[in-house]
Amino acid sequence: MAKGVFKAPTSTLHGLSGGIPDFHLHPPVMLLSPRVLFSRHHRGLSSACGASLPSPSARSPPLPSSVQARHRASSSPSLKADKPARESQPYYITTPIFYVNAAPHVGHLYSMVLADILKRWQHLQGRDALLCTGTDEHGMKVQRAAEKAGSDTKAFCDDGAAVFKNLAQKADISYDRFIRTTDEDHSETVQYAWRILIEKDLIYRSKHEGWYSVSDETFVPASGVHKIVDPPTGRKIHVSIETGNEVEWSSETNYCFRLSSFRDRLLEHYEQVPNFMVPSTRMQDVQQAVRSGLEDLSISRPSQRLSWGIPVPGDESQTIYVWLDALLNYLTFSGYPWAPNSQSTGGWPAQCQVIGKDIVRFHCIYWPAFLMALDIQPPKRILTHAHWTLGHQKMAKSTGNVVNPFFAMDRFTTDVMRYYLAHDGGVSQDADYDNAHIIKRYKKGLHGGLGGLTSRITRGKQWNVREAVRFGISEDFLQLQSKSLTNRWGGGPFDYLDNTSLTTRVTELWGQLFSLRANVDHFFHDLDVKNAVNVIMNVIHQTNIFLSYCEPWAMASKVREEGVSEEKKQRMTKDLNTVIFLCAECLRICGILLQPFMPDRAARLLDMLGVEREASEISINDDVQAPDNGIDIGQADLDLTGTESITSRTRSVPIQGKRSSKYAEPRADGDYGEPKVDVGRGLLGVLFPPPLSDT
């Protein structure tokens, strides 16, 4: 086999037969490195499937009717003529799909926000991008939760899915589909994939025994189980060492997937695509687990035990394993099974899949193995983020140690929560959630930093931003750049300024603005959202220092003094306009680059500066209700009356105008400076008002 290239497919429709599609692998990039252990007991992964028993006949039937219709549409000349051709494959990104048996917490919100920021960054570059999120509604724990609630299972799932959909809407997540595993087209995708695996002799029937964790929806090897005394009840129970969830002994006849036969191909894939997982330490742990050996994986449960799920095609006595079902949702949205030559139009292979570190095994071992079995290329990269703790303890609904994300966004606003999660969230190491941390970040970075700089520049009565911008794009400005600012004030507050110091500060800020877009893009390439926002906020901080050093209000007062010659006034005005232009450029460039993080506040900032707005977002009216669960973190802490522009969720689309990333460099836009909204006075219209409390 050629290094880095898999065998070409032998069928025109992926998944029907033959080898692995021909795909070239990307070169490595620098990855993060702090270590998070991947437990050695994962070497078993599934508990052994026993001797093979005869499988029922299940040859590949015709494509599902909905898929046939999609394929006919894709091959219709009239429809093809009406559909504009894509210049390139869209950037496809996914979140995990979330179990509906419990209410969401801030960790679920973090996954959504990370994925949405990455999608919006692609749109900022003018690239088409797709985001899929949704809910995982099948499996034993959902079935039991519905029974415990005394509810019809489908109605229970409908209610749970609505909560997560509300969360995505309230968090301004620009998803393209909210998928549910109970959706009809997803069921068809799963059953079609099952038949392909049967046809390729990758599924067999076998007696299966082992410890099963209902909470984790997986078998746990004996080496990964120990006995404890349950504190609330005093019962002696067996639990998973890794997750702490209770396990139960199961002995049943199931279908098994030949996972063991994919050991070498998985290891080859990890070697050929060293940036497959972020951070790299988790990749090392996965590689070690696979090298230690894989056992075949049970992929069904008897229907008498698990009735809530997708039936095995041709054998309704069995229900398809929840993780095989759930993982295939990523293909459902992309249109699998695809018509010939249409795979990339749905975005596959995904450029990035965002998951929590607790589901690495399923996404980084099982998932690529399933895809290889279906002759489908694995996703390009998987971002495995760490967890949020509360009081340095794991969040758990059972103990009440969770943060209700609806309450958090009600108190601090959506954009502030998005900023905090991006700024403080962990990828390699867990992050501890604390209201005091949010307020600290808000006061320093947003209210005092970005908000303060915005107010001082846009509300200044002694200068005109539009005039400063005109000067900044003129030849006079370029000449001043080469000559440096000079101390022309002849006494007063600027006596202490020396040419070298001021020139150095101007040069340093100018250089930071020129390199900022490239620095942010570098971090996004590495899926490093935290450092991307930090480097932007550092420029805001440096600009505030620059503004305080230059004191343009004192400059303006000198210009208005009596007895100053017209020639000197002109020179002073040029100096004043230089300072205001540099600060305005900082706000404009940072405002553009902050759009993925804080869509609403960044849009208002650019409106206050007068940056041209294009029809870059479609408003979607959604009624969002906060469920009454989780820890109430307090009353509304920020009064944004008169300052918020979001009244509904916004769907992001590629940005082509002057708010796109290509304009995020100095002197790229000479047309702004006249505000498009009332910049307000006092607290009215301020970008980030002062918090109402410090706790």
Side-chain angles (χ1 to χ4, degrees), residues 516-550:
L516 182 58
R517 182 180 67 176
N519 288 337
V520 174
D521 186 62
H522 167 77
F523 288 122
F524 269 107
H525 181 267
D526 289 349
L527 306 181
D528 188 351
V529 168
K530 183 173 186 174
N531 275 321
V533 72
N534 282 334
V535 75
I536 298 170
M537 296 308 295
N538 181 61
V539 171
I540 295 290
H541 177 68
Q542 294 301 321
T543 305
N544 267 312
I545 293 175
F546 171 80
L547 183 66
S548 296
Y549 184 86
C550 293

Side-chain angles (χ1 to χ4, degrees), residues 584-599:
E585 281 290 81
C586 166
L587 288 171
R588 182 185 66 84
I589 292 169
C590 290
I592 290 172
L593 298 176
L594 284 171
Q595 289 176 100
F597 301 92
M598 298 182 287

Side-chain angles (χ1 to χ4, degrees), residues 382-444:
I382 298 181
L383 174 59
T384 67
H385 66 73
H387 291 163
W388 284 88
T389 59
L390 183 62
H392 300 286
Q393 299 295 319
K394 181 180 178 181
M395 290 192 188
K397 184 67 177 177
S398 59
T399 62
N401 195 48
V402 294
V403 173
N404 184 315
F406 291 95
F407 292 162
M409 287 185 283
D410 283 343
R411 177 177 182 182
F412 297 115
T413 75
T414 292
D415 270 12
V416 171
M417 279 302 298
R418 287 173 62 105
Y419 170 79
Y420 169 68
L421 293 175
H423 188 282
D424 278 33
V427 169
S428 297
Q429 302 294 332
D430 292 347
D432 194 55
Y433 184 96
D434 192 320
N435 290 341
H437 292 166
I438 300 175
I439 294 172
K440 180 180 179 181
R441 300 287 181 266
Y442 179 83
K443 290 174 67 176
K444 182 178 180 180

Side-chain angles (χ1 to χ4, degrees), residues 33 38 73-75 80-81 114 174 230 237 256 310 412 436 440 462 513 525 539 565 632 647 655:
S33 61
F38 189 98
S74 69
S75 60
K80 288 174 72 175
L114 280 180
S174 58
D230 184 37
I237 60 174
C256 292
I310 300 173
F412 297 115
K440 180 180 179 181
Q462 302 180 74
L513 292 178
H525 181 267
V539 171
S565 68
D632 186 346
T647 57
I655 299 174

Side-chain angles (χ1 to χ4, degrees), residues 345-411:
T345 61
W348 199 265
Q351 296 291 326
C352 178
Q353 298 200 260
V354 177
I355 65 168
K357 67 179 183 180
D358 55 323
I359 51 177
V360 162
R361 180 190 358 161
F362 306 99
H363 282 79
C364 301
I365 298 177
Y366 297 174
W367 180 222
F370 290 151
L371 290 169
M372 290 174 180
L374 293 168
D375 297 345
I376 297 172
Q377 179 181 350
K380 298 290 187 182
R381 285 196 287 179
I382 298 181
L383 174 59
T384 67
H385 66 73
H387 291 163
W388 284 88
T389 59
L390 183 62
H392 300 286
Q393 299 295 319
K394 181 180 178 181
M395 290 192 188
K397 184 67 177 177
S398 59
T399 62
N401 195 48
V402 294
V403 173
N404 184 315
F406 291 95
F407 292 162
M409 287 185 283
D410 283 343
R411 177 177 182 182

Side-chain angles (χ1 to χ4, degrees), residues 158-235:
D158 290 343
D159 292 342
V163 173
F164 279 95
K165 192 170 186 178
N166 281 344
L167 178 64
Q169 292 163 354
K170 189 174 182 66
D172 204 10
I173 306 301
S174 58
Y175 60 82
D176 296 274
R177 177 170 176 180
F178 188 94
I179 196 168
R180 300 175 58 184
T181 53
T182 52
D183 290 342
E184 183 179 354
D185 63 337
H186 175 68
S187 177
E188 291 178 346
T189 294
V190 173
Q191 292 185 320
Y192 180 81
W194 181 280
R195 292 181 172 106
I196 296 302
L197 296 176
I198 285 283
E199 184 181 74
K200 294 163 72 70
D201 194 30
L202 292 171
I203 293 177
Y204 62 92
R205 195 167 182 171
S206 170
K207 185 175 181 179
H208 184 88
E209 292 185 336
W211 293 103
Y212 190 80
S213 168
V214 174
S215 295
D216 302 320
E217 292 287 12
T218 187
F219 281 95
V220 180
S223 60
V225 173
H226 67 166
K227 185 184 289 186
I228 66 168
V229 176
D230 184 37
T233 64
R235 292 188 306 127

Side-chain angles (χ1 to χ4, degrees), residues 472-488:
I473 62 170
S474 69
E475 290 299 318
D476 282 351
F477 176 78
L478 293 179
Q479 292 173 9
L480 272 186
Q481 266 193 286
S482 61
K483 294 179 180 178
S484 82
L485 288 177
T486 57
N487 183 12
R488 305 187 178 106

